[in-house]
Amino acid sequence: MQEKIVFIGGPGTGKSSVLRFLKRQGFKCMPEISREVTKKAQEEGIEQLFLTDPILFSTKLLEGREQQFIDAENSNQRIVFFDRGIPSIHAYMRYFDTEFPSVFLEKSEKYKYTKVFQFLPWKEIYRSDNERYETFEQSETISKFLNEAYSELGYEIINVPFDTVRNRCNFILSHM
């Protein structure tokens, strides 16, 4: 049986760094796609699509993350890591107090991950950039919304300790 491992946490918590490390170790990794959606919108003249049209942005994320899930299932990999999952979408919409269609919850129920690892906000490593506009304090709040969304769906959440990228990866792999 394939293990689908999802990383959750607010922006700037180290998820992508750990994912890149795991990919270099030969693991199948599905990257965060919100940056791609944001960059494409910026190329079309929309600075922050999520803030301009949160449902359109979220629908594009849902389509991309659903495709990642399907691609993972169609691969022959025993373990696949995901930088955020489908439930992260409605967690963000709740954080922004945005009404959303039921399809987001339905897809979260349909596509289930094996394990959820949460990366908690860590001020020492937090950085903002062109696609990450949230403050550290917002990252802390978003982390709570993510925790709630996954917990409501019955996931047991494993907190990843603050440590080096290598040690964080070793911690995660020790839970496989």
Side-chain angles (χ1 to χ4, degrees), residues 40-144:
K40 187 169 170 51
Q42 288 173 343
E43 290 168 6
E44 296 170 3
I46 304 168
E47 190 56 33
Q48 286 296 342
L49 180 58
F50 184 85
L51 299 176
T52 305
D53 190 341
I55 297 299
L56 177 60
F57 178 84
S58 299
T59 299
K60 289 180 179 292
L61 284 184
L62 181 61
E63 291 166 357
R65 290 196 181 142
E66 183 177 20
Q67 188 59 54
Q68 284 181 329
F69 197 97
I70 292 166
D71 290 346
E73 284 196 332
N74 291 334
S75 77
N76 60 354
Q77 302 297 309
R78 192 178 70 76
I79 300 173
V80 180
F81 293 96
F82 295 82
D83 191 343
R84 298 194 187 273
I86 293 170
S88 300
I89 302 168
H90 70 263
Y92 264 82
M93 287 192 285
R94 285 178 178 165
Y95 165 73
F96 281 102
D97 199 24
T98 302
E99 293 287 326
F100 55 89
S102 62
V103 67
F104 290 94
L105 291 173
E106 291 163 9
K107 297 288 183 168
S108 292
E109 289 284 350
K110 179 178 179 181
Y111 297 104
K112 291 293 201 173
Y113 300 92
T114 312
K115 289 191 172 119
V116 178
F117 287 91
Q118 183 169 26
F119 291 68
L120 296 170
W122 186 6
K123 196 160 188 98
E124 287 74 19
I125 67 167
Y126 180 83
R127 301 284 179 271
S128 61
D129 59 30
N130 287 337
E131 291 85 35
R132 180 183 299 138
Y133 56 86
E134 300 92 343
T135 64
F136 178 75
E137 291 73 23
Q138 288 172 314
S139 179
E140 291 178 307
T141 304
I142 289 167
S143 190
K144 292 175 187 168

